[in-house]
């Protein structure tokens, strides 16, 4: 089969489109013939070596397709099922081997590209708004990179929960996408001090929660945006890792809460994985959630797709098509 492998860490040039043996499923495993694979920052972190892994490795950790073969002791899926997944390595390929218990059946009525678009980023938007800091009617949330993959989904879910959403984007074009997703106010944080703008928009009160995926360039000012006892949810680092912090700052800035969550811990059991995936699929099916596919690339062009994502060129979801 064809796959995108790396044998060393580095820039996009280390990605190789290669022939590798098609893998066979072992006990508890299924082989999925992929129809689409998600492109995510985590793939870039593995490529760069920020997240350690043994090499060579096939990149990618999100996708969807049809179960083509199952090993012994598999009860969760059958050959022919349409399934999607996240947090399973080796998805930049024509086939992937997955633990059957981590595969989610895709309901009839949900297109495969839509399903893949919500596995990592949609379930992330769901846990952030429903579990990490559950939003309620009247809450105000600041969502950075509001036209991004997680961003557009987060804005929509926050609005469904009745929150007011202030978003940030780098360009007016992205701002319009975030407004279309329901954002009440957009700050062009490349042109304006977003902490000043948040104070103005909240009459000096500050927001109840900041969902920050940008990291290095936004973290400190995000703390300035919070009301006393507000929640700083730093869940990503698209601009680079956040510097180490002195916890005393949480006291000085108003008894703030700080968490650095990750999806794996919010879909750790099959029950929670299925509950969260079902909740997101249901939003798609009843038309309350739209997953914007911002760009698709042939599998062979994975390097270009990663360059675009890291280079701030994308909106919504980026997919690879084998
Ligand atoms: P996005 O689609 O949001 O892409 C990143 C966006 O961040 C850009 O489009 C850009 O939007 C903004 N940005 C700001 N500064 C920079 C910069 N210097 N370089 C690149 N982008 C920048 O990506 P995702 O939604 O896929 O992921 C965002 C982050 O969230 C990543 O760090 C990812 O690893 C993390 N994440 C964490 C999860 C978790 O569970 N903890 C799960 C999913 C994602 P603009 O141009 O508007 O500024």
């Amino acid at each position: 089969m064809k796959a995108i492998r790396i044998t060393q860490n580095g820039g996009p040039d280390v990605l190789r489109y290669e022939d590798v043996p098609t893998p066979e499923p072992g006990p508890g495993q299924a082989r999925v013939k992929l129809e689409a694979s998600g492109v995510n920052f985590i793939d870039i972190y593995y490529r760069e070596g920020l997240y350690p892994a043994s090499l060579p490795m096939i990149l990618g950790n999100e996708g969807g397709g049809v179960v083509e073969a199952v090993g012994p002791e598999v009860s969760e899926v059958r050959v022919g099922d349409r399934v999607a997944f996240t947090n399973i390595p080796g998805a930049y390929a024509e086939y992937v081997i997955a633990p059957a218990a981590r595969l989610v059946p895709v309901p009839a009525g949900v297109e495969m590209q839509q399903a893949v678009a919500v596995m990592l980023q949609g379930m992330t938007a769901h846990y952030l708004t429903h579990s990490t800091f559950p939003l309620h009617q009247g809450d105000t949330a600041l969502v950075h990179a509001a036209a991004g993959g997680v961003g557009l989904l987060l804005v929509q879910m926050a609005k469904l929960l009745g929150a007011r959403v202030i978003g940030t984007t780098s360009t007016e074009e992205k701002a319009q996408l975030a407004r279309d997703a329901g954002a009440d106010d957009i700050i062009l944080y490349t042109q304006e001090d977003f902490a000043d703008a948040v104070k103005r928009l909240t009459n000096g009160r500050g927001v109840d929660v900041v969902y920050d995926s940008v990291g290095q360039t936004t973290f400190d000012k995000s703390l300035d945006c919070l009301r006393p006892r507000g929640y700083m949810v730093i869940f990503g680092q698209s601009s680079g890792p956040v510097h180490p912090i002195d916890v005393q700052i949480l006291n000085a800035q108003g008894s703030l809460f700080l968490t650095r969550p990750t999806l794996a811990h919010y879909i750790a059991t099959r029950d929670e994985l299925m509950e969260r995936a079902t909740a997101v699929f249901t939003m798609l099916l009843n038309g309350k959630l739209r997953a914007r596919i911002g760009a698709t690339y042939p599998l062979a062009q994975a390097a270009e797709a990663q360059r675009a994502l890291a280079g701030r060129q994308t909106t919504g979801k980026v997919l690879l098509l084998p």
Side-chain angles (χ1 to χ4, degrees):
M1 69 169 183
K2 295 287 188 193
I4 297 285
R5 276 209 310 182
I6 59 167
T7 53
Q8 63 186 84
N9 296 123
D13 292 343
V14 301
L15 268 57
R16 295 273 177 274
Y17 183 59
E18 292 180 337
D19 284 304
V20 298
T22 303
E24 293 300 325
Q29 294 180 330
R31 183 170 68 219
V32 179
K33 185 176 191 322
L34 289 161
E35 291 174 17
S37 309
V39 180
N40 293 292
F41 267 87
I42 192 167
D43 311 332
I44 296 170
Y45 302 147
Y46 277 115
R47 186 198 77 213
E48 290 171 336
L50 185 67
Y51 291 1
S54 56
L55 302 179
M57 77 180 291
I58 298 174
L59 287 181
N61 87 118
E62 177 187 45
V66 175
V67 175
E68 204 205 42
V70 293
E73 298 154 39
V74 168
S75 57
E76 297 86 353
V77 294
R78 287 185 301 192
V79 170
D81 283 357
R82 297 168 73 234
V83 294
F85 61 86
T86 185
N87 294 24
I88 292 172
Y92 283 14
E94 289 181 292
Y95 299 89
V96 72
I97 294 292
R102 304 306 294 169
L103 292 173
V104 177
V106 176
V110 175
E111 288 172 17
M112 188 54 72
Q113 291 193 11
Q114 292 279 302
V116 176
V118 297
M119 289 311 290
L120 194 152
Q121 293 165 334
M123 288 199 289
T124 295
H126 188 273
Y127 85 72
L128 292 171
T129 52
H130 290 72
S131 304
T132 305
F133 182 87
L135 286 167
H136 297 104
Q137 188 85 31
D139 286 340
T140 302
L142 175 63
V143 177
H144 285 305
V150 176
L152 281 176
L153 298 163
L154 219 169
V155 169
Q156 294 174 73
M157 287 189 204
K159 290 309 295 175
L160 287 172
L161 290 163
R164 175 185 179 198
V165 176
I166 303 173
T168 61
T169 64
S170 63
T171 66
E172 181 49 43
E173 186 194 354
K174 289 187 177 187
Q176 195 51 50
L177 288 175
R179 284 189 203 103
D180 293 345
D184 298 279
D185 302 281
I186 292 293
I187 303 163
L188 294 179
Y189 58 177
T190 42
Q191 298 177 22
E192 190 180 2
D193 182 308
F194 71 82
D196 288 347
V198 164
K199 288 212 180 85
R200 175 169 45 78
L201 289 166
T202 60
N203 298 321
R205 174 184 178 269
V207 297
D208 299 284
V209 58
V210 180
Y211 297 112
D212 188 343
S213 64
V214 173
Q216 197 170 84
T217 57
T218 48
F219 181 83
D220 290 332
K221 280 205 172 148
S222 291
L223 295 179
D224 296 338
C225 294
L226 286 162
R227 64 155 165 86
R229 293 163 56 183
Y231 279 71
M232 176 65 189
V233 181
I234 169 80
F235 69 96
Q237 49 195 27
S238 45
S239 70
V242 174
H243 58 77
I245 68 154
D246 174 357
V247 291
Q248 188 61 20
I249 194 158
L250 302 175
N251 159 11
Q253 302 256 125
S255 298
L256 303 179
F257 294 83
L258 170 65
T259 183
R260 200 314 182 181
T262 196
L263 175 61
H265 301 130
Y266 288 85
I267 52 168
T269 63
R270 179 151 183 85
D271 281 352
E272 194 171 14
L273 169 67
M274 290 301 294
E275 270 171 38
R276 227 175 265 294
T278 303
V280 178
F281 285 150
T282 302
M283 290 181 206
L284 285 178
L285 282 167
N286 64 21
K288 293 193 168 163
L289 185 72
R290 282 182 303 139
R292 176 186 162 84
I293 313 288
T296 60
Y297 293 82
L299 176 62
Q301 289 175 18
E304 284 72 39
Q306 290 197 350
R307 274 194 197 95
L309 181 62
R312 241 168 151 163
Q313 303 300 312
T314 63
T315 57
K317 185 70 200 170
V318 181
L319 294 175
L320 296 178
L321 306 180

